[in-house]
Every structure is written in structure tokens, then in C-alpha cells.
Amino acid sequence: MDKFKTVLNIANQHTNLGFGVVALLTAGGEQIFSSVVFGCPCSPELNFVYGMVFLLVPALALLLFGFMLSKKTWKLVTGLCRCKKRPCGWRRLFVEGHVLCQISSSALVAPCTWIAVALLNGNYFECAMTGNSTSSYYTQHLCTQTKAAEQCWKDLHKFPCGKGSEVPEADRGRVMLTLRAHSQILGWLLIAAIMLSNLLLTCLARCTSPISYLQLKFWRAYAREETSMMESHIPKHAKELAGRNLNSFFTNKPPEEVYTPSNEDWEKISSLYKFSSRKQYYSTLHRVVENHTETDVGMQRMTSVRSNDSTSICPAALGFVDDGNSAL
């Protein structure tokens, strides 16, 4: 598990590298499933369901796993049902839908890779398309290539197993070759669509970027460093507070003063980031810190961060801020 986390941390430092690692891991998993786990039942009732389950259900699981791994998902849903302090109008729903689209763009990498690799492999498609649930027009088209079309239609579900059919082996091979060709064509079309859409979305995000290329690069570096230091500082502070409490309990002495942020402070830095062209803040934490002020009695908390309940949309080019890594 530690090695897996290390791979994810390295991948998160660069978007293209991260997507590449996820795609490679998914492709490797699909190959293992296809060669070790998958076995077409060669049944007229089960072929279609079995093939489609192996094609789509793992993709759905990977999609859900992608949502679970995103920090932005939990920032979005934590406290979402509490509408006492937050406006719950259409504008806020639109903003949250925009954030959900940003999360989905990253979460879709693994499932799309699974489906594309599975289609290029062809095993799942071949099994599914030889079941009785497929279109009769499509199966008739496949069997017109054989000399015994009627017998082919009856025994089509047995073709993936390569035996048990009275249709000549050459005809069976021709049908299976056609199925594999159709599967691979769909796979390459899906890959082309993914690459084209990714290019267009990236160009659109960069075109509408409110900041320059080098500042965007600096911003990414800052977001990564802040996230890394936050994840290392939280356990240290928790250990300090726990040690203070245990020492006070076992020695029966008053506890030493250890400052811990209030619920309001935690809520401020946990909110989704909002870009402001008037004030340059590199993260929500940066905004909260800048809104503190020095007084005679020390650092005091001022009014709530204005953007805490804001419904403004963060530019797509800055979608990496809440995750601490590049999103484009």
C-alpha cells in the first residue's frame, strides 16, 4: 500500500505523468483480468451479459475509485447538506456542478482506459456480441460471411469457445475476426475521442487562464508544497496536543496551553478555492492567513473570509489548487 501511495504522489506532481501512470496501471489490470479471470460461458443467455459486465462494471468501479481518491470530492460533499450558513440557490448548484465536472474529468481517465484497452483486446466484445441479446440484424450480418448462415446463427454463441459448433472452422475464424475488427475500431475511436477532448479542454482552460504561463507554473509548485507541508504538519500538531492531554491526565496537573484552530477556522481553510483578480491568493489557506491581523493582544481572528460562502467559479486553469497538484 505504501508503494502504491508513493506512485500516486509521484504521478500527482505532473498531470501528464499522473494520467500516464493511471492509464498504464489500468491497462495492466485489464490484461490480467482478460487472461486470468475472464472466460466466456458460450451460452446464448449469458454471453451478452457476461461480456458487458466485464467491459463496463470494472470501468464503473474505477470511476467511483477516482472520485474517492480526489480531495476535491470530499471538500465538495463535506457539509454539503448543511444549508443554514450557505445559500442553496441555483447559482450555488451551478458552481458545485462545475466543480463536479472538474473532478469527473480526472476520474474518467481510468475507466475510459479500461474500456479502450478492453475493446482493443476484443475478448469481452466478442463474447457479448455472440449472445442472443444482440441485434438480430448484426448477427445476421456476421453470419452472411459463412456458407451455412442458418447454422451459424444457431451456433454463434459457441464461437468464442472455438468448439462445439458444426460450422466449419474457417467460417468461425472469419466471424471472430470480424468481431475483433469491430471491437478494435471502436477502441481506437474511443482513444481518439479521449485525446481530442483532452486537447480541446486543455486549450480552452489555458486560453481562458487569468494568469501567465510562468505564474501558473509557480502556482502549481506552491499548491504542491502547501499540501505536502499541511499533511506533515497535521500529525505533528495532533501528536503535540495528544501528548499534552496524556501528560496532564497521568500527572494530574493542569494542561499546558496549546493553541488549536477553532471549528470556524477549519471550515475556512477547508472550503473550495475561489479566484479573485483583485487580491492575489494562491490558496484558501493563503487567503485565511492574509485576513488575520496583528493587535495588541496578539494574533486575533477577524471576520469570516468573504469567499467562504461565495458561489464564484474557479477558472479551469486553476483547478489544481484544491488538490495540491496539477489538474490540467
Side-chain angles (χ1 to χ4, degrees):
M1 189 65 181
D2 292 336
K3 293 182 179 179
F4 182 68
K5 289 182 179 179
T6 302
V7 172
L8 287 180
N9 289 335
I10 296 174
N12 283 338
Q13 294 183 8
H14 298 283
T15 303
N16 293 334
L17 177 59
F19 287 171
V21 170
V22 171
L24 287 175
L25 291 175
T26 305
E30 194 282 329
Q31 289 297 318
I32 295 174
F33 257 70
S34 179
S35 58
V36 178
V37 180
F38 181 78
C40 189
C42 296
S43 167
E45 293 81 16
L46 287 178
N47 275 20
F48 180 79
V49 175
Y50 190 80
M52 295 306 292
V53 163
F54 269 81
L55 181 65
L56 299 179
V57 172
L60 176 61
L62 289 171
L63 177 64
L64 298 177
F65 189 61
F67 278 107
M68 292 170 61
L69 285 180
S70 175
K71 296 177 184 178
K72 194 179 295 185
T73 300
W74 305 117
K75 282 190 175 183
L76 178 65
V77 302
T78 301
L80 186 63
C81 297
R82 295 179 57 199
C83 294
K84 295 180 180 179
K85 297 182 179 180
R86 301 180 179 182
C88 297
W90 288 106
R91 188 182 177 189
R92 183 168 189 86
L93 290 177
F94 174 75
V95 173
E96 290 169 351
H98 180 266
V99 175
L100 185 61
C101 290
Q102 290 182 340
I103 300 171
S104 301
S105 63
S106 297
L108 282 170
V109 173
C112 288
T113 301
W114 175 278
I115 295 176
V117 174
L119 289 173
L120 291 177
N121 193 16
N123 291 343
Y124 307 150
F125 185 85
E126 290 170 1
C127 184
M129 292 299 105
T130 54
N132 283 353
S133 299
T134 30
S135 169
S136 58
Y137 174 80
Y138 183 74
T139 54
Q140 286 178 2
H141 171 71
L142 291 173
C143 289
T144 53
Q145 306 176 51
T146 64
K147 297 178 181 178
E150 185 175 352
Q151 187 64 35
C152 169
W153 200 4
K154 293 180 181 178
D155 295 345
L156 187 61
H157 62 276
K158 301 177 182 179
F159 284 13
C161 295
K163 56 184 179 179
S165 173
E166 298 178 5
V167 179
E169 183 177 353
D171 290 340
R172 293 202 308 267
R174 192 178 298 111
V175 171
M176 296 304 293
L177 190 62
T178 301
L179 283 171
R180 185 171 292 266
H182 290 172
S183 178
Q184 292 176 342
I185 289 172
L186 291 175
W188 283 116
L189 288 176
L190 178 60
I191 291 174
I194 294 171
M195 297 298 293
L196 180 61
S197 60
N198 181 57
L199 176 62
L200 292 177
L201 290 175
T202 303
C203 290
L204 180 62
R206 293 299 181 89
C207 183
T208 57
S209 175
I211 59 177
S212 64
Y213 172 77
L214 289 178
Q215 188 181 6
L216 186 62
K217 191 173 182 179
F218 169 81
W219 207 316
R220 286 196 184 98
Y222 171 84
R224 288 197 302 268
E225 292 298 328
E226 182 189 276
T227 301
S228 177
M229 295 180 69
M230 174 69 78
E231 291 178 351
S232 63
H233 188 78
I234 286 178
K236 291 179 182 178
H237 189 74
K239 184 177 180 180
E240 180 184 358
L241 181 60
R244 193 263 335 231
N245 293 338
L246 287 171
N247 183 63
S248 175
F249 176 77
F250 284 108
T251 60
N252 196 25
K253 294 180 179 179
E256 300 176 0
E257 184 177 357
V258 175
Y259 175 77
T260 300
S262 65
N263 292 344
E264 183 182 359
D265 293 330
W266 283 113
E267 185 175 354
K268 288 176 183 179
I269 68 170
S270 299
S271 61
L272 289 169
Y273 174 78
K274 175 216 167 184
F275 175 76
S276 174
S277 58
R278 292 175 299 174
K279 295 184 179 181
Q280 183 174 300
Y281 299 125
Y282 289 112
S283 67
T284 304
L285 177 63
H286 187 195
R287 180 186 291 112
V288 171
V289 172
E290 292 291 344
N291 277 273
H292 290 173
T293 183
E294 293 285 352
T295 64
D296 294 336
V297 294
M299 189 75 77
Q300 300 292 331
R301 303 301 182 192
M302 299 300 290
T303 56
S304 300
V305 180
R306 292 182 179 180
S307 63
N308 205 35
D309 294 326
S310 175
T311 53
S312 298
I313 295 177
C314 179
L318 301 179
F320 58 85
V321 177
D322 288 309
D323 283 333
N325 53 61
S326 302
L328 285 174

